Amino acid sequence: MAQNITSAFVTLFDEEVKQAYQGEALLRGTMRTRSGVQGNTVKFPKIGKGVATVRVPQTDVTPLNVTYSQVTATMTDYIAAEYSDIFHQSKVNFDERRELVQVVSKSIARRMDQLCIDALNAAASPSTVATTVGGAASNMNIEKLRAAAKALNDKNVPAEGRHLLVHSSQLDAMLGETEISSADFASVKALVRGEVNSFMGFQIHTIGDRDEGGLPKPSTRSCFAWHQDSMGYAESMAQKSEVNYIPEKTSFLVSSMFSAGAVAIDDEGIVKISCTE
């Protein structure tokens, strides 16, 4: 029940409701995605490498003996819901139900992101970039970005479809790098817009602190670079929102829900970058 709504019971109240600042979904679409899944699990196939050999006339061909494997993403159900009491609605001059739809929808959207972040962090053997790269106990810098790009290049990861997820602290550090913020080095107007959305082949995504967990920070902050085909995201039920009247509560139940799972498919396409804030 929205117990705290009594603070809005005032004679005059701005019709434009200011919701609490909260992040929205960023990572859906940055991974190999399967929707409309039937069942509790989804298996993402992975096929190994092959090396061509010299063809010798009148001899048997040498098969590649390509290996096949698969990884499994398990669906988990999530819901965010809140009641909107009809008596409360009569005491405020804004549509509480409409505002709650935004709140619960964004809550679910952030949970989608957290599924992806947890899957990135659970990758068994990704490439790593130490916090000492570019300086002792350093935050994000140009050397770390180069090291992450090199790690992917060494594994022959395609240049298209690369993503980088950083915390706002790393964004601030990158804006302090001349090679990133200066028009002499990059075409982006980083200091004008206060953001860096792409650099060195990475599509950059920035998040702040999140109640769901966000980017891990046991001691140093873990950021991640990955190729979209190295990760898998599957949905058995896409996000949907509902508003239902519950007579027993004399309230409307505003809810948003989804069922999904994420998993690392190929660790060679993932880089874990440690940053000291």
Side-chain angles (χ1 to χ4, degrees):
M1 186 71 66
Q3 300 290 349
N4 296 325
I5 195 175
T6 52
S7 60
F9 293 170
V10 294
T11 304
L12 295 176
F13 198 84
D14 191 347
E15 293 181 359
E16 295 297 325
V17 177
K18 169 61 180 68
Q19 295 185 9
Y21 289 118
Q22 51 186 327
E24 300 186 54
L26 293 175
L27 303 184
R28 190 183 188 281
T30 67
M31 305 178 177
R32 189 185 302 180
T33 303
R34 296 289 182 269
S35 57
V37 172
Q38 299 294 322
N40 188 50
T41 60
V42 175
K43 295 187 182 298
F44 289 92
K46 176 184 174 183
I47 188 170
K49 304 173 183 178
V51 179
T53 57
V54 176
R55 174 71 176 102
V56 179
Q58 299 181 358
T59 62
D60 294 340
V61 297
T62 304
L64 294 177
N65 292 320
V66 174
T67 59
Y68 292 82
S69 60
Q70 56 189 14
V71 295
T72 303
T74 302
M75 304 297 102
T76 304
D77 304 333
Y78 292 95
I79 187 170
E82 181 63 290
Y83 285 107
S84 176
D85 191 281
I86 61 173
F87 291 100
H88 288 176
Q89 292 174 28
S90 67
K91 296 180 176 67
V92 293
N93 64 339
F94 60 89
D95 189 343
E96 188 199 11
R97 281 177 291 168
R98 183 184 64 186
E99 301 300 331
L100 286 177
V101 166
Q102 295 296 317
V103 172
V104 300
S105 296
K106 291 177 181 179
S107 174
I108 286 294
R110 294 193 307 275
R111 178 54 64 183
M112 289 180 177
D113 280 351
Q114 196 61 45
L115 277 177
C116 300
I117 294 171
D118 292 344
L120 284 164
N121 194 44
S125 55
S127 301
T128 57
V129 176
T131 187
T132 54
V133 174
S138 58
N139 207 335
M140 186 64 74
N141 51 49
I142 193 70
E143 287 80 7
K144 283 185 172 67
L145 292 174
R146 289 173 54 193
K150 181 179 183 298
L152 295 179
N153 292 337
D154 288 346
K155 301 293 178 63
N156 300 303
V157 176
E160 292 294 326
R162 293 184 180 184
H163 298 271
L164 175 67
L165 178 64
V166 299
H167 186 266
S168 57
S169 173
Q170 283 70 63
L171 173 63
D172 181 68
M174 286 191 292
L175 290 173
E177 293 281 318
T178 302
E179 293 90 338
I180 297 176
S181 60
S182 173
D184 294 334
F185 296 90
S187 60
V188 296
K189 296 181 179 179
L191 294 180
V192 174
R193 296 179 57 87
E195 64 181 23
V196 181
N197 52 18
S198 63
F199 192 77
M200 207 170 289
F202 293 107
Q203 186 70 28
I204 300 175
H205 311 276
T206 306
I207 65 173
D209 296 329
R210 292 189 172 185
D211 294 339
E212 292 79 10
L215 285 167
K217 189 187 176 184
S219 56
T220 59
R221 179 79 67 182
S222 295
C223 301
F224 298 95
W226 72 96
H227 186 265
Q228 61 186 21
D229 288 340
S230 68
M231 296 292 299
Y233 175 85
E235 288 180 339
S236 61
M237 185 176 72
Q239 180 185 6
K240 65 177 183 178
S241 298
E242 297 179 349
V243 179
N244 298 298
Y245 183 68
I246 310 299
E248 294 85 353
K249 300 284 189 181
T250 62
S251 302
F252 287 93
L253 178 62
V254 181
S255 56
S256 187
M257 63 209 76
F258 81 116
S259 182
V263 66
I265 299 174
D266 190 347
D267 290 352
E268 290 190 352
I270 303 171
V271 183
K272 185 175 185 178
I273 307 169
S274 297
C275 299
T276 299
E277 298 179 353

